[in-house]
Amino acid sequence: VWNDAVMNTATSWQTTYKVIYQSNQVLETLSGINIGIGERLKYNELKGAAYFFRGFAFHQLLGIYTLPYEQGKASSTLGIPLRLKPDLDNAVQRASLKDSYQQVLSDYQSAINLLPPKGLLKGRPYKEAAFGGMARIYLEMNEYEKAYRYADSALQLNSELLDYNSLNSAVALPVQRFNREVLFQAITGNSSVLVQGAAKIDSVLYRSYDQNDLRKKILFKPNTGTSVGTYAFKGSYNNTVAGLFVGLTTAEMYLIRAEAAVRTGKVTQALLDLNFLLKNRWTKDLYVDFNATDETVILQKILMERRKE
C-alpha cells in the first residue's frame, strides 16, 4: 500500500521467520547435493543444525503468539504458520497448536539423529542442545516422563554448573558469555523496555532471595538517582545490558528434570537436582539442603527456584 503511514514492524515475527527461511533454504540446498563417504559427518551436522534452528525458531514463535498447550484443546486451538519450504510465494495458513508442537518435536528429533553429541562452539547446536529443546517443549506439553528423559539425556552429555562463588559480584556484568552452563547460545533482539536502564526488578522477587544466596548480588544491582530503592538486572548470560539470553543451559535442565521428577513420583531425584543447583548458587559452605516429603511443597520450591533463575 503506497501511502505515508508509518510501517510498524513486528521484529519478533520477522526475524524469527527469517531464521526459518534460512533453515529451509539450507535443507533444500542440501537435498540436492551428492556427497562422498568422507563428507557424510559434515553433511549431517549442517542438516541437523538446520532442523535445530527451525525447531528452535518455531518454538520461540509458539511462546509469543499462541495460547499455552492444553492436551484436550490443542487440536482445535490455532498455532502458527508452518513454513517448511523456502518458497516465499507459497501461501501458508495457521496450523493447529497440536500440529505446530509436533513440528517442533519432529525438527528436534531430526537434529538429535544427525548432530554430533557436543562441540566447542556454543552458538552452534549439538545433540546436547537438541535434547534440551525437547525437554523444554515436553515440559510445556505436560508430558513429564518425556521431559525427564530428555533433560536427563542433555545432562548426560553436559552436567556442568557455574559455581557462583567463582564470579565477581562487584563487576558490571559478572556472568561470562558462552560459559560452561550454556548448551546453546541465543539472545533476543534489543528491546528498549527491557534494557538495564529501563526495566525494574519486581521487588517481591528481589526480597525472596536469601542474603546467602549469591544470585542476589550476581544478578542484580541497586539503581541510583531518581530510581533509588529499585534494582536492575545485570546477570545476563550474554554478558550485555541489552539483548536477553533465551538459550538453553544445564541449570534449566536440572530444574526441568527436578520438576518432571517430582511430578512423576521421583522425589529423591528431584531433591538431588534442586540441592545440587542451589549449592552452586549459595555462599560456600553455608547452604543447607532443602528437605521435604510433601510433593506439593517440593514442587512449589522448584517452581520458585525456576523463577529466581
Side-chain angles (χ1 to χ4, degrees):
V1 177
W2 299 101
N3 59 32
D4 295 330
V6 176
M7 177 182 176
N8 292 315
T9 58
T11 303
S12 54
W13 180 272
Q14 292 171 333
T15 56
T16 311
Y17 271 106
K18 182 180 178 181
V19 173
I20 293 163
Y21 167 77
Q22 291 170 329
S23 299
N24 288 333
Q25 188 69 65
V26 169
L27 290 169
E28 184 174 275
T29 302
L30 288 174
S31 68
I33 295 176
N34 293 318
I35 60 167
I37 296 175
E39 299 172 303
R40 175 58 64 181
L41 289 178
K42 184 63 176 177
Y43 179 90
N44 286 348
E45 185 173 348
L46 291 170
K47 190 174 182 179
Y51 278 120
F52 177 90
F53 280 119
R54 189 173 73 179
F56 190 89
F58 279 144
H59 196 187
Q60 293 291 305
L61 288 164
L62 287 167
I64 299 169
Y65 292 106
T66 69
L67 294 171
Y69 192 94
E70 290 186 60
Q71 196 71 44
K73 299 180 180 179
S75 295
S76 57
T77 302
L78 282 174
I80 55 174
L82 295 174
R83 286 198 167 274
L84 304 177
K85 296 180 180 180
D87 180 5
L88 295 177
D89 295 324
N90 182 31
V92 178
Q93 303 301 316
R94 289 177 70 179
S96 70
L97 192 61
K98 181 178 181 180
D99 288 345
S100 300
Y101 269 77
Q102 288 302 318
Q103 184 60 53
V104 176
L105 292 172
S106 175
D107 282 349
Y108 278 148
Q109 187 60 61
S110 295
I112 288 170
N113 295 339
L114 293 163
L115 291 171
K118 57 193 303 182
L120 298 176
L121 302 176
K122 300 288 189 176
R124 290 185 182 179
Y126 301 99
K127 205 182 295 284
E128 60 183 14
F131 282 139
M134 290 285 263
R136 181 186 271 182
I137 198 165
Y138 272 127
L139 186 74
E140 288 182 17
M141 297 173 73
N142 300 329
E143 294 199 28
Y144 300 116
E145 286 286 0
K146 292 178 181 177
Y148 180 95
R149 187 166 74 245
Y150 281 105
D152 183 70
S153 294
L155 291 170
Q156 292 299 322
L157 293 173
N158 184 352
S159 59
E160 292 189 82
L161 285 175
L162 279 175
D163 182 352
Y164 274 33
N165 287 278
S166 67
L167 303 180
N168 182 0
S169 63
V171 300
L173 295 166
V175 186
Q176 290 301 305
R177 181 185 291 176
F178 309 136
N179 64 71
R180 68 177 62 181
E181 286 189 8
V182 175
L183 297 172
F184 175 67
Q185 180 80 12
I187 61 168
T188 66
N190 290 348
S191 171
S192 58
V193 296
L194 293 177
V195 297
Q196 190 182 75
K200 306 294 190 296
I201 299 304
D202 183 280
S203 59
V204 175
L205 173 63
Y206 180 77
R207 290 195 300 271
S208 71
Y209 291 87
D210 188 277
Q211 289 304 312
N212 292 318
D213 188 337
L214 295 170
R215 291 174 297 186
K216 197 163 192 173
K217 293 181 178 179
I218 296 293
L219 302 182
F220 310 114
K221 71 170 186 175
N223 286 318
T224 57
T226 58
S227 296
V228 167
T230 66
Y231 295 85
F233 177 66
K234 66 170 185 174
S236 170
Y237 273 38
N238 191 47
N239 200 245
T240 180
V241 298
L244 298 176
F245 181 88
V246 292
L248 295 154
T249 68
T250 55
E252 182 182 359
M253 293 304 109
Y254 278 109
L255 285 166
I256 289 177
R257 191 168 71 176
E259 180 179 343
V262 74
R263 289 185 185 274
T264 54
K266 305 178 186 72
V267 173
T268 301
Q269 182 63 55
L271 291 171
L272 284 172
D273 284 338
L274 178 63
N275 285 315
F276 181 65
L277 173 67
L278 293 181
K279 199 168 292 184
N280 282 277
R281 300 302 196 243
W282 219 261
T283 302
K284 192 171 181 62
D285 299 328
L286 292 182
Y287 180 70
V288 178
D289 279 353
F290 171 79
N291 280 301
T293 55
D294 188 320
E295 293 181 6
T296 301
V297 171
I298 298 170
L299 179 59
Q300 289 173 345
K301 174 69 172 175
I302 292 168
L303 295 178
M304 187 61 199
E305 292 306 326
R306 171 182 274 276
R307 187 178 182 210
K308 289 181 183 181
E309 282 286 304

